[in-house]
mmCIF file of all heavy atoms in Angstrom:
data_model
loop_
_atom_site.group_PDB
_atom_site.id
_atom_site.type_symbol
_atom_site.label_atom_id
_atom_site.label_comp_id
_atom_site.label_asym_id
_atom_site.label_seq_id
_atom_site.Cartn_x
_atom_site.Cartn_y
_atom_site.Cartn_z
ATOM 1 N N MET R 1 -66.178 106.255 -141.972
ATOM 2 C CA MET R 1 -65.331 106.045 -140.798
ATOM 3 C C MET R 1 -66.004 106.667 -139.591
ATOM 4 O O MET R 1 -65.905 106.121 -138.502
ATOM 5 C CB MET R 1 -63.964 106.626 -141.029
ATOM 6 C CG MET R 1 -62.997 106.358 -139.930
ATOM 7 S SD MET R 1 -61.348 106.683 -140.497
ATOM 8 C CE MET R 1 -60.615 107.216 -138.977
ATOM 9 N N GLN R 5 -66.871 105.015 -135.820
ATOM 10 C CA GLN R 5 -66.520 105.621 -134.531
ATOM 11 C C GLN R 5 -67.754 105.825 -133.647
ATOM 12 O O GLN R 5 -67.645 105.603 -132.413
ATOM 13 C CB GLN R 5 -65.838 106.997 -134.749
ATOM 14 C CG GLN R 5 -64.517 106.891 -135.540
ATOM 15 C CD GLN R 5 -63.477 106.126 -134.827
ATOM 16 O OE1 GLN R 5 -63.456 106.043 -133.586
ATOM 17 N NE2 GLN R 5 -62.537 105.582 -135.574
ATOM 18 N N ILE R 20 -61.924 96.977 -129.403
ATOM 19 C CA ILE R 20 -62.469 97.114 -130.735
ATOM 20 C C ILE R 20 -61.940 98.362 -131.417
ATOM 21 O O ILE R 20 -61.659 98.341 -132.619
ATOM 22 C CB ILE R 20 -64.036 97.139 -130.679
ATOM 23 C CG1 ILE R 20 -64.540 95.743 -130.234
ATOM 24 C CG2 ILE R 20 -64.655 97.536 -131.999
ATOM 25 C CD1 ILE R 20 -66.028 95.678 -130.038
ATOM 26 N N GLN R 21 -61.755 99.436 -130.672
ATOM 27 C CA GLN R 21 -61.144 100.658 -131.240
ATOM 28 C C GLN R 21 -59.756 100.409 -131.769
ATOM 29 O O GLN R 21 -59.406 100.834 -132.843
ATOM 30 C CB GLN R 21 -61.158 101.763 -130.192
ATOM 31 C CG GLN R 21 -60.616 103.087 -130.678
ATOM 32 C CD GLN R 21 -61.478 103.676 -131.769
ATOM 33 O OE1 GLN R 21 -62.689 103.828 -131.512
ATOM 34 N NE2 GLN R 21 -60.929 104.022 -132.890
ATOM 35 N N GLU R 22 -58.975 99.667 -130.979
ATOM 36 C CA GLU R 22 -57.578 99.336 -131.391
ATOM 37 C C GLU R 22 -57.597 98.479 -132.667
ATOM 38 O O GLU R 22 -56.822 98.754 -133.596
ATOM 39 C CB GLU R 22 -56.880 98.600 -130.266
ATOM 40 C CG GLU R 22 -55.433 98.286 -130.609
ATOM 41 C CD GLU R 22 -54.763 97.557 -129.415
ATOM 42 O OE1 GLU R 22 -55.236 97.670 -128.272
ATOM 43 O OE2 GLU R 22 -53.749 96.882 -129.676
ATOM 44 N N ALA R 23 -58.495 97.488 -132.724
ATOM 45 C CA ALA R 23 -58.587 96.655 -133.903
ATOM 46 C C ALA R 23 -59.049 97.425 -135.127
ATOM 47 O O ALA R 23 -58.528 97.240 -136.239
ATOM 48 C CB ALA R 23 -59.521 95.459 -133.639
ATOM 49 N N ALA R 24 -59.995 98.339 -134.940
ATOM 50 C CA ALA R 24 -60.486 99.169 -136.047
ATOM 51 C C ALA R 24 -59.388 100.081 -136.540
ATOM 52 O O ALA R 24 -59.227 100.287 -137.760
ATOM 53 C CB ALA R 24 -61.726 99.957 -135.607
ATOM 54 N N ASP R 25 -58.607 100.663 -135.616
ATOM 55 C CA ASP R 25 -57.539 101.588 -135.997
ATOM 56 C C ASP R 25 -56.472 100.844 -136.838
ATOM 57 O O ASP R 25 -55.996 101.350 -137.831
ATOM 58 C CB ASP R 25 -56.850 102.184 -134.796
ATOM 59 C CG ASP R 25 -57.753 103.197 -134.065
ATOM 60 O OD1 ASP R 25 -58.740 103.661 -134.701
ATOM 61 O OD2 ASP R 25 -57.513 103.481 -132.866
ATOM 62 N N LYS R 26 -56.150 99.593 -136.417
ATOM 63 C CA LYS R 26 -55.186 98.796 -137.193
ATOM 64 C C LYS R 26 -55.721 98.488 -138.582
ATOM 65 O O LYS R 26 -54.992 98.586 -139.575
ATOM 66 C CB LYS R 26 -54.852 97.488 -136.447
ATOM 67 C CG LYS R 26 -53.934 97.658 -135.287
ATOM 68 C CD LYS R 26 -53.650 96.330 -134.658
ATOM 69 C CE LYS R 26 -52.837 96.447 -133.417
ATOM 70 N NZ LYS R 26 -52.585 95.134 -132.774
ATOM 71 N N ALA R 27 -56.975 98.116 -138.666
ATOM 72 C CA ALA R 27 -57.580 97.742 -139.983
ATOM 73 C C ALA R 27 -57.654 98.980 -140.880
ATOM 74 O O ALA R 27 -57.365 98.894 -142.056
ATOM 75 C CB ALA R 27 -58.987 97.171 -139.770
ATOM 76 N N LEU R 28 -58.049 100.112 -140.329
ATOM 77 C CA LEU R 28 -58.169 101.317 -141.141
ATOM 78 C C LEU R 28 -56.806 101.890 -141.548
ATOM 79 O O LEU R 28 -56.718 102.573 -142.562
ATOM 80 C CB LEU R 28 -58.987 102.373 -140.417
ATOM 81 C CG LEU R 28 -60.484 102.017 -140.178
ATOM 82 C CD1 LEU R 28 -61.156 103.028 -139.319
ATOM 83 C CD2 LEU R 28 -61.169 101.901 -141.563
ATOM 84 N N LYS R 29 -55.795 101.598 -140.775
ATOM 85 C CA LYS R 29 -54.454 102.087 -141.103
ATOM 86 C C LYS R 29 -53.953 101.482 -142.396
ATOM 87 O O LYS R 29 -53.299 102.130 -143.202
ATOM 88 C CB LYS R 29 -53.503 101.754 -139.965
ATOM 89 C CG LYS R 29 -52.074 102.212 -140.159
ATOM 90 C CD LYS R 29 -51.244 101.849 -138.950
ATOM 91 C CE LYS R 29 -49.812 102.264 -139.140
ATOM 92 N NZ LYS R 29 -48.945 101.867 -138.022
ATOM 93 N N HIS R 30 -54.297 100.214 -142.618
ATOM 94 C CA HIS R 30 -53.849 99.502 -143.820
ATOM 95 C C HIS R 30 -54.849 99.595 -144.955
ATOM 96 O O HIS R 30 -54.515 99.226 -146.072
ATOM 97 C CB HIS R 30 -53.545 98.053 -143.501
ATOM 98 C CG HIS R 30 -52.460 97.901 -142.485
ATOM 99 N ND1 HIS R 30 -51.137 98.162 -142.773
ATOM 100 C CD2 HIS R 30 -52.470 97.525 -141.204
ATOM 101 C CE1 HIS R 30 -50.410 97.963 -141.714
ATOM 102 N NE2 HIS R 30 -51.175 97.570 -140.738
#
Side-chain angles (χ1 to χ4, degrees):
M1 185 164 148
Q5 298 296 336
I20 292 176
Q21 181 66 52
E22 183 180 337
D25 290 342
K26 284 182 184 178
L28 292 173
K29 181 179 178 182
H30 297 290

